[in-house]
Amino acid sequence: KQEVTQIPAALSVPEGENLVLNCSFTDSAIYNLQWFRQDPGKGLTSLLLIQSSQREQTSGRLNASLDKSSGRSTLYIAASQPGDSATYLCAVLPGGGYQKVTFGTGTKLQVIP
Amino acid sequence: DAGVIQSPRHEVTEMGQEVTLRCKPISGHDYLFWYRQTMMRGLELLIYFNNNVPIDDSGMPEDRFSAKMPNASFSTLKIQPSEPRDSAVYFCASSLGARRQYFGPGTRLTVT
């Protein structure tokens, strides 16, 4: 059974700092990995999706990397802003055409002005 | 596109009552997912459909839960009878194949 862990559970940083969020998964046989953002009381917004054959994806100040062999993904946020404050979740889609995504536990990020 | 639409946004009901949650996926998407989110258990997949057909309902907690997708633009999640432990936020999401999942705003259910 796939298990997805995110450490730390919470993170507080001053505005402008570069930061890295971590995601670990136990089964490396994945199809893709997504990073989501969830604002309080809201649904999830997909930020980046990395296919298993890719090593990284970039969107603006966000960069996600994937190392299947070690079962890890990182989300790098450059020059953090207060508007980046949210909970970030990673989600793993298994291979074999199966659509059952497993979500991580999330990292709650607070960027202090 | 309006995105994934869910209704109602909030539902408060008494224990034992029937609850029906509704979802309209993004037009053209062939997968639809129902999730439940709680503080204790995080985000859990309850059931998902492909082309209106239920594929995996192993996440449905009990027989009190049922889901239908009568057509490509509508799905329901029903709880009958409801219990206080069903209180959670229920999300619907849709995707085109194994691409990004797009989530609705959720329905916050409170069972008293």
Side-chain angles (χ1 to χ4, degrees):
Chain A
K1 177 187 174 185
Q2 179 74 272
E3 293 184 6
V4 183
T5 305
Q6 292 183 247
I7 296 173
L11 181 64
S12 183
V13 299
E15 181 178 1
E17 191 163 297
N18 302 325
L19 59 100
V20 174
L21 306 181
N22 298 296
C23 172
S24 300
F25 47 95
T26 56
D27 187 347
S28 62
I30 67 171
Y31 185 79
N32 65 39
L33 184 146
Q34 288 187 74
W35 281 94
F36 291 86
R37 167 188 175 137
Q38 185 174 27
D39 293 283
K42 301 286 181 63
L44 280 70
T45 300
S46 180
L47 299 171
L48 290 164
L49 183 149
I50 312 176
Q51 300 292 351
S52 62
S53 57
Q54 297 175 318
R55 294 302 298 268
E56 65 179 66
Q57 280 286 328
T58 299
S59 176
R61 295 182 294 107
L62 306 179
N63 176 277
S65 67
L66 175 64
D67 184 343
K68 271 202 328 177
S69 61
S70 66
R72 294 185 181 213
S73 176
T74 61
L75 179 66
Y76 175 83
I77 303 177
S80 58
Q81 304 170 357
D84 295 330
S85 298
T87 296
Y88 290 80
L89 299 102
C90 64
V92 173
L93 184 69
Y98 196 51
Q99 296 295 324
K100 191 168 184 176
V101 171
T102 301
F103 277 83
T105 46
T107 295
K108 186 174 183 179
L109 172 66
Q110 182 182 24
V111 180
I112 303 169
Chain B
D1 200 314
V4 176
I5 299 172
Q6 290 187 248
S7 64
R9 293 295 311 277
H10 302 274
E11 177 80 35
V12 180
T13 190
E14 292 184 348
M15 178 175 157
Q17 296 299 305
E18 176 179 299
V19 175
T20 299
L21 311 181
R22 297 173 176 79
C23 175
K24 176 179 169 57
I26 292 174
S27 177
H29 282 188
D30 56 350
Y31 282 89
L32 183 139
F33 307 83
W34 281 101
Y35 292 91
R36 178 172 69 174
Q37 186 175 40
T38 62
M39 289 292 292
M40 291 295 295
R41 300 173 68 90
L43 200 59
E44 303 174 283
L45 177 66
L46 300 177
I47 184 171
Y48 76 88
F49 296 82
N50 178 219
N51 292 322
N52 313 338
V53 176
I55 302 300
D56 187 334
D57 65 355
S58 60
M60 297 285 259
E62 298 170 36
D63 290 344
R64 299 184 294 105
F65 286 69
S66 62
K68 294 182 179 180
M69 192 165 186
N71 57 63
S73 59
F74 184 66
S75 177
T76 60
L77 177 67
K78 185 176 295 186
I79 308 173
Q80 166 63 18
S82 58
E83 296 183 3
R85 59 192 167 127
D86 301 331
S87 297
V89 181
Y90 291 81
F91 289 104
C92 175
S94 69
S95 72
L96 179 61
R99 298 186 179 90
R100 293 186 181 191
Q101 289 194 17
Y102 292 83
F103 278 68
T107 294
R108 182 173 295 277
L109 174 64
T110 302
V111 183
T112 61

